Amino acid sequence: MSDDDNSPISAREARRLFAGLKAAPALVLAVSGGPDSVALMWLVARWRRSLVRGPQLTVVTVDHGLRPEAAREAREVKRLATELGLPHRTLRWRGAKPKTGLPAAAREARYLLLAQAARAVGASHVLTAHTRDDQAETLLMRMLRGSGLAGLSAMASVSERDGIVLARPLLDVPKAQLIATLKRAKVGFADDPTNRDTAFTRPRLRALLPQLAAEGGDARTLVRLAARLARANAAVEVLADGAERFLRLRDRDFAPQAGIRSFEASAFAILPEEVRLRLLLRAIAALGHEGPAELGKVETLMSALDRAIAAGPRAAANGRPVLKQTLAGALISLVGGRIHIAPAPARRRKGP
């Protein structure tokens, strides 16, 4: 870790971090009470005070109802927000909690509540306090899951979710620098014990980071890798866009049916494997009705399509589909030398 990684963030550096947000009408700050989000709130409040005109700020804390300390931490965030002259709301995740996949479910609930809060106050952006350390951990988690190129790009600094822009202005800032900022400002923060609970994957990987750093795999290096993969992923997306145009040009004389995507199988087959995979993912995402398709299942589907296309017209009989299967609520078929993707019929509900 360099000396800069332990130095407080200056007002000048904060202006650089938040410069792209100056024209936003309003911002929601997601603040849990931990050091990262409290530092975000303090830095954004200081930055906003330096502007003649700028976005309205609202602080939102999500209480997932998983720890008895959470309500007290939310009150402490409200106290600090009030001292900074910022309005604060606490939102609660109500209802039954899943017995498995709890971190992922809590994260989804959090983003849903934050998006609702943003719409309620007319905010265009929700700001979260993800740091360089979080990015490194995310890359490791996705590597272990066998994610593809898009997943290994880790978190984007700006994305869209539920119609709201999700911004992570601290994504290249180390956690140590945020803690140093709070210490200099004499601002307290909460310590969430779940961040060290080895019952969850992320804390277990977090504990491994010092060993990886000793081998040269520190957070800075891992984040650099994620950025390079994101760059490569963006290039492949451009290739996939071009491939879609290529397939449409091949189909100038083909009249597609409404609500169906169709490719000439022989033209599809000559495209690079990663591009073909993305075209299938896009079509299934657009026409399916059961959420995102798992990458591994789409890879299996593509292998089946490749084999069926290679078998040629001789495999077809009486115009029947050579291949027909459903995936993520989409129906994929190969018939008459064409690949068709359409919404799958709704599944019949089982009786009581």
Side-chain angles (χ1 to χ4, degrees), residues 173-197:
V173 176
K175 185 185 189 78
Q177 199 169 8
L178 297 179
I179 292 176
T181 301
L182 293 178
K183 285 183 176 178
R184 172 172 287 186
K186 295 181 172 56
V187 175
F189 51 85
D191 176 30
D192 183 351
T194 60
N195 288 327
R196 298 184 300 276
D197 188 347

Side-chain angles (χ1 to χ4, degrees), residues 50-66:
S50 72
L51 303 176
V52 176
R53 287 186 299 273
Q56 296 295 314
L57 306 179
T58 300
V59 178
V60 173
T61 302
V62 175
D63 181 352
H64 293 95
L66 301 174

Side-chain angles (χ1 to χ4, degrees), residues 144-156:
L144 295 176
R145 292 173 184 165
S147 294
L149 188 57
L152 293 176
S153 301
M155 293 182 284

Side-chain angles (χ1 to χ4, degrees), residues 30-211:
V31 182
S32 66
D36 303 348
S37 61
V38 168
L40 173 71
M41 175 171 62
W42 189 85
L43 287 165
V44 172
R46 183 177 66 171
W47 163 74
R48 176 62 185 86
R49 287 197 301 269
S50 72
L51 303 176
V52 176
R53 287 186 299 273
Q56 296 295 314
L57 306 179
T58 300
V59 178
V60 173
T61 302
V62 175
D63 181 352
H64 293 95
L66 301 174
R67 295 182 299 113
E69 303 89 353
R72 175 180 53 78
E73 291 166 3
R75 289 194 297 272
E76 183 60 24
V77 172
K78 182 176 183 177
R79 183 194 65 77
L80 180 55
T82 302
E83 288 181 3
L84 294 170
L86 304 179
H88 175 272
R89 292 183 62 193
T90 297
L91 303 178
R92 291 174 176 82
W93 181 27
R94 303 189 185 278
K97 309 300 189 289
K99 294 182 179 179
T100 59
L102 182 59
R107 183 171 59 251
E108 287 300 312
R110 177 173 178 251
Y111 283 128
L112 179 62
L113 289 169
L114 289 170
Q116 291 173 353
R119 284 190 286 270
V121 298
S124 55
H125 293 62
V126 168
L127 273 59
T128 68
H130 291 100
T131 66
R132 178 191 296 170
D133 305 68
D134 297 317
Q135 184 77 313
E137 293 161 11
T138 298
L139 175 65
L140 289 174
M141 290 178 69
R142 294 183 180 180
M143 285 175 62
L144 295 176
R145 292 173 184 165
S147 294
L149 188 57
L152 293 176
S153 301
M155 293 182 284
S157 57
V158 177
S159 58
E160 187 174 319
R161 195 181 184 104
D162 298 319
I164 300 294
V165 177
L166 182 62
R168 300 180 176 97
L170 307 180
L171 200 54
D172 197 36
V173 176
K175 185 185 189 78
Q177 199 169 8
L178 297 179
I179 292 176
T181 301
L182 293 178
K183 285 183 176 178
R184 172 172 287 186
K186 295 181 172 56
V187 175
F189 51 85
D191 176 30
D192 183 351
T194 60
N195 288 327
R196 298 184 300 276
D197 188 347
T198 55
F200 300 116
T201 303
R202 189 176 285 271
R204 291 198 299 271
L205 290 177
R206 186 174 297 137
L208 292 176
L209 281 172
Q211 298 173 54

